[in-house]
Amino acid sequence: MRNHLWLLSACCCMICCTNSKQPSQGVTINYPAPLPDTIAQTFLPGVVSSDTLDFNAAFSPDGKTFYFSRSYNRKYIILESAYNGKEWTSPIPSPLFDSAYSNTDPFFSGEGDLYFISNRPKDATDTIKDYDIYRLPMSGNDPGNPIRLNEINSDSTEYYVSLSDNGNIYFASYRDGNLDLYMSRKTNGHYETPVNLGATVNSGDDEHDPLIAPDESWLIFTSGRPGGSGEADLYITFNKNGQWQQPRNMGSRINTKTYEYCPNLSPDGKFLFFSSERDVKWISSKILRE
């Protein structure tokens, strides 16, 4: 979810025994100074984080373009900022997306394809104003056309997507009446019927915005369950012998009295990005190893 007010109608942890995001080979990202340590900072204030609702964080696989989302006239647009050799440029609406519709939640798979959600109709007869998951094939400098993931989408809204290295896909959906986390296995190039992650992960409150570890050893997500720091917090759960363990709140270095959501890791694995207080935030991924 992007915002606790109306975005639903659109969108101290330890990882000492698991593998975090594996750095992409040969990726050099020109991060803006100062770099954050274990205290979260606002990312590119005045460029990415502005005076409106800004959220999401997805670097292109080569680290040269940064994609994020912004609320504009009650529509969600994906913007991109490029590093021009000296600085990160002022963001522009990404030409990869049809601006006639809301598009948000960009995520790059290990194969380099760009996943996102959109409220565009699936065909000429579609009158349901829901969000679905799409894959945009990225081949060199010639992206293909967005492909709706028919095996995963439903007649309800699907939010936020992340993929493990084996292609399994994690997302949130209202399909059973509550906003819960789901997973679909990729088998022989096709997605199986999505399954609910179960009562250990999902609660009677909303769960959404999953970030799966490349090896599926852990899962970070947003939840509004009781006992958190604010309106919704980031939690982490570990996979032990094929079973998700009781989720842990990720603590005060990340969570605030407001809403935390949209977790993602930089391609080199150095920084954890998330959204909070209407801005994009970042923090050293060392916090995941403490």
Side-chain angles (χ1 to χ4, degrees), residues 12-14 38 40 227-230 232-236 248-257 260 272 274 283 287:
C12 165
C13 80
M14 298 176 67
T38 54
S229 302
D233 287 353
L234 289 180
Y235 287 78
I236 186 167
R248 308 176 187 179
N249 188 291
M250 294 189 71
S252 60
R253 295 186 187 182
I254 289 177
N255 293 315
T256 69
K257 293 181 179 179
E260 280 69 50
L272 173 68
F274 62 99
I283 190 169
I287 194 173

Side-chain angles (χ1 to χ4, degrees), residues 1 172-174 176-182 196-208 219 221-228 231-233 235 237 244-247 259:
M1 285 144 27
S173 177
Y174 276 114
D176 291 329
N178 198 55
L179 186 57
D180 283 343
L181 299 178
Y182 291 81
N196 188 293
L197 290 189
T200 300
V201 174
N202 292 309
S203 70
D205 293 275
D206 289 340
E207 276 75 37
H208 55 91
L219 177 72
F221 62 95
T222 292
S223 177
R225 66 189 62 196
E231 296 162 354
D233 287 353
Y235 287 78
T237 177
W244 292 112
Q245 304 302 295
Q246 190 65 35
Y259 213 101

Side-chain angles (χ1 to χ4, degrees), residues 129-147:
K129 302 292 185 179
D130 66 327
Y131 282 76
D132 288 330
I133 298 169
Y134 288 80
R135 177 176 66 88
L136 181 62
M138 304 286 285
S139 177
N141 296 320
D142 186 23
N145 294 317
I147 300 170

Side-chain angles (χ1 to χ4, degrees), residues 28 47 77 107 136 147 152 158 175 183 197 232 270 282:
T28 299
V47 178
I77 58 175
F107 183 91
L136 181 62
I147 300 170
I152 291 174
E158 277 69 46
R175 64 188 61 200
M183 185 271 281
L197 290 189
K270 293 181 178 179
W282 60 325

Side-chain angles (χ1 to χ4, degrees), residues 35 41 73 154 198 215 218 259 279 286:
L35 300 179
Q41 296 183 14
N73 287 340
S154 69
D215 62 358
W218 51 260
Y259 213 101
D279 287 331
K286 290 188 295 184

